[in-house]
Amino acid sequence: MGFDSRASQTEIESLASVADLLEDGEGSKALRLLDSIRENSPQLPFLDYLGALAALQAGNYALASRLANSSTEKGEKVSDALALQAAALEGCAAEGPVLGDPTLLRQSLLERAISADPLNPRPRLDLAGVLRKKGQLREAISHLQAARAQLRR
């Protein structure tokens, strides 16, 4: 992930700490650090995207969805943010009812993610899972094969 060339060394180190926390599975700690970074350096790119990752990891699906949506609206990491929205929706649906059919909503988000970046394999892998659950095995296999080809590049 490229950072703004105007970011200070301290900001870069803070973002690296967020990445380390995420890698260690410490989503809640990463969220707290991101809150501090956002307060001091709101101009930094990808804060909402990183927040969505951290919130998803922490099991805060509603926050993950809001932050992923914000990242999408800002045009930052659109394909990945849409895939995060789909994952957050799955978590929300597991906790209780959501408006609309969560499977169709996830499918729609993942299809939008693929349209936003056809070379990103993640949404294709996730969409394959959704399609498999719906019994659309041929379509699922097609997306798995496309993702596999993208990963080999």
Side-chain angles (χ1 to χ4, degrees), residues 51-73:
L53 281 173
L56 190 64
Q57 194 175 79
N60 189 336
Y61 303 116
L63 178 59
S65 181
R66 282 194 308 275
L67 290 171
N69 186 57
S70 178
S71 180
T72 300
E73 288 174 353

Side-chain angles (χ1 to χ4, degrees), residues 5-150:
S5 61
R6 298 168 291 180
S8 71
Q9 186 62 32
T10 302
E11 291 167 334
I12 292 169
E13 289 171 3
S14 294
L15 291 169
S17 294
V18 168
D20 290 342
L21 288 168
L22 289 171
E23 187 174 301
D24 293 341
E26 298 285 349
S28 294
K29 289 180 182 177
L31 274 173
R32 287 192 295 276
L33 181 53
L34 282 164
D35 285 343
S36 173
I37 294 168
R38 186 177 282 110
E39 185 175 305
N40 296 314
S41 305
Q43 80 287 354
L44 290 177
F46 308 120
L47 293 179
D48 289 338
Y49 174 75
L50 290 170
L53 281 173
L56 190 64
Q57 194 175 79
N60 189 336
Y61 303 116
L63 178 59
S65 181
R66 282 194 308 275
L67 290 171
N69 186 57
S70 178
S71 180
T72 300
E73 288 174 353
K74 291 177 182 177
E76 296 178 347
K77 301 203 55 72
V78 172
S79 179
D80 288 324
L82 287 165
L84 282 176
Q85 280 182 274
L89 177 62
E90 182 176 28
C92 287
E95 290 180 341
V98 296
L99 289 175
D101 180 338
T103 302
L104 290 177
L105 292 171
R106 286 187 65 225
Q107 182 175 349
S108 174
L109 286 166
L110 293 167
E111 288 169 346
R112 286 178 51 207
I114 292 166
S115 293
D117 182 0
L119 299 179
N120 183 353
R122 178 185 174 177
R124 288 190 182 280
L125 292 170
D126 293 348
L127 181 57
V130 170
L131 294 170
R132 181 189 58 79
K133 287 179 184 176
K134 289 177 65 179
Q136 297 175 348
L137 298 182
R138 284 193 181 121
E139 293 89 346
I141 290 169
S142 174
H143 283 286
L144 285 173
Q145 290 171 335
R148 182 177 178 192
Q150 290 162 344

